[in-house]
Amino acid sequence: MTARIIDGNALSRQLRAGIAERTVALKTRGIAPGLAVILVGDDPASAVYVRNKVKACDDCGLVSVLEKHKADFTEAELLGRVRALNDDPSIHGILVQLPLPPHIDAQKVIESISPAKDVDGFHIASAGALMTGLPGFWPCTPYGCMKMLESIEFDLRGKHAVVIGRSNIVGKPMALMLLQKNATVTICHSATVDLKAHTLQADVIVAAVGKRNVLTADMVKPGAVVLDVGMNRNDEGKLCGDVDFAGVSEVAGAITPVPGGVGPMTITMLLMNTLQAAEQAAAAAGLP
Ligand code: NAP
């Protein structure tokens, strides 16, 4: 079998066209969706991520405000900036790029963001909403994975999903989203004994580990859907995922590539969350 490729770039283009249309509609009601992105320090990877997020906002007509601060920016100063943005009605989403320098408590900063503007979905209120099935912002990467499953009309009801990885930003929320769609979910992690025994039973596998070749062809049931969240470098320095793409795509029914899979979807869902935050602000303000 040669797996169907779930093209994250193509799906992103389609979703972003819809976001751009909704943005125009919102602007005619007097609200321009605004995202504030805060970068502290000079981590080169973070600088690239932030640039891509700002560009994606611009392309879809959202307003983006990029704040860059030096690595010695203090926690108190950062908390002060977040407070100011919480109170700024032109800003609907606040994103503090992680990782932060070690002298700043990242969790404290995340918790200082107003849940109404928590478009990354990392605030404990957002996590609690997802946990309990209440409305709230979903973390962008697993949210993007759900959209990819939706795009191939994959019905999760009664299916067995295996999530490899249990981080707060990918693995755990991913598992909860799959559960919400009535999948039977197994979460695997570094202490899992015999990962292959679990993945071989899966109808859907999400690999979110950060290690190359965590999932190989012999670990996949024929026809399973494989979503590769991992971002790693191969021996030639090229971007690759957690999945042995060449091997697994001979067995799986559908698979996401790296690059061009989950990565672009993550930014798309950030735009979606920001737009949603702005639409909610419009509704709260009673705009027609
Ligand atoms: P993380 O916080 O480092 O979590 C990795 C998880 O993998 C942990 O739960 C860890 O288990 C588990 N793990 C480690 N080795 C394992 C093994 N051999 N078998 C099974 N599980 C194992 O990473 P993350 O933030 O979730 O990110 C995961 C990957 O996704 C990274 O490559 C990251 O760059 C990428 N990512 C991509 C996007 C995107 O937009 N495409 C967004 C976010 C992250 P323990 O909990 O037991 O340590």
Side-chain angles (χ1 to χ4, degrees), residues 17-31 33 60-62 275:
I19 290 168
E21 268 177 37
R22 276 166 61 188
T23 299
V24 169
L26 198 56
K27 281 180 171 171
T28 61
R29 294 166 65 201
I31 290 205
C60 287
L62 282 78
L275 177 61

Side-chain angles (χ1 to χ4, degrees), residues 141 164-167 169-170 189-190 208-211 229-231 263 266:
T141 300
I164 319 175
R166 57 172 165 181
S167 71
I169 61 169
V170 189
H189 43 78
S190 67
V209 174
K211 287 181 186 160
V229 177
M231 287 200 306
T266 297

Side-chain angles (χ1 to χ4, degrees), residues 148-169:
M148 293 180 112
L149 292 173
E150 206 180 291
S151 77
I152 59 166
E153 294 176 357
F154 189 83
D155 182 6
L156 282 160
R157 171 173 285 273
K159 300 291 193 324
H160 186 189
V162 170
V163 180
I164 319 175
R166 57 172 165 181
S167 71
N168 289 335
I169 61 169

Side-chain angles (χ1 to χ4, degrees), residues 87-259:
D87 293 338
D88 183 342
S90 71
I91 294 299
H92 305 98
I94 302 170
L95 182 152
V96 179
Q97 185 65 42
L98 302 177
L100 287 168
H103 64 276
I104 299 178
D105 180 344
Q107 198 55 39
K108 195 168 168 187
V109 174
I110 289 167
E111 298 314 331
S112 74
I113 296 172
S114 161
K117 299 188 179 187
D118 175 40
V119 288
D120 246 346
F122 295 167
H123 195 287
I124 201 159
S126 303
L130 173 59
M131 175 87 178
T132 50
L134 292 170
F137 295 112
W138 283 6
C140 302
T141 300
Y143 190 10
C145 290
M146 293 305 284
K147 283 283 173 196
M148 293 180 112
L149 292 173
E150 206 180 291
S151 77
I152 59 166
E153 294 176 357
F154 189 83
D155 182 6
L156 282 160
R157 171 173 285 273
K159 300 291 193 324
H160 186 189
V162 170
V163 180
I164 319 175
R166 57 172 165 181
S167 71
N168 289 335
I169 61 169
V170 189
K172 279 186 210 157
M174 183 79 250
L176 289 168
M177 289 173 201
L178 292 163
L179 187 63
Q180 211 176 87
K181 291 290 177 189
N182 297 311
T184 300
V185 183
T186 301
I187 306 177
C188 298
H189 43 78
S190 67
T192 296
V193 176
D194 199 354
L195 179 64
K196 180 176 169 178
H198 295 284
T199 57
L200 269 177
Q201 292 179 33
D203 302 302
V204 181
I205 303 170
V206 182
V209 174
K211 287 181 186 160
R212 286 162 56 192
N213 297 329
V214 155
L215 193 75
T216 47
D218 59 310
M219 300 168 75
V220 178
K221 181 167 84 173
V225 175
V226 175
L227 306 182
D228 190 353
V229 177
M231 287 200 306
N232 311 296
R233 295 277 162 192
N234 67 16
D235 292 336
E236 291 85 48
K238 285 195 180 143
L239 192 63
C240 67
D242 290 347
V243 176
D244 168 25
F245 182 82
V248 171
S249 54
E250 293 298 316
V251 182
I255 188 167
T256 63
V258 178

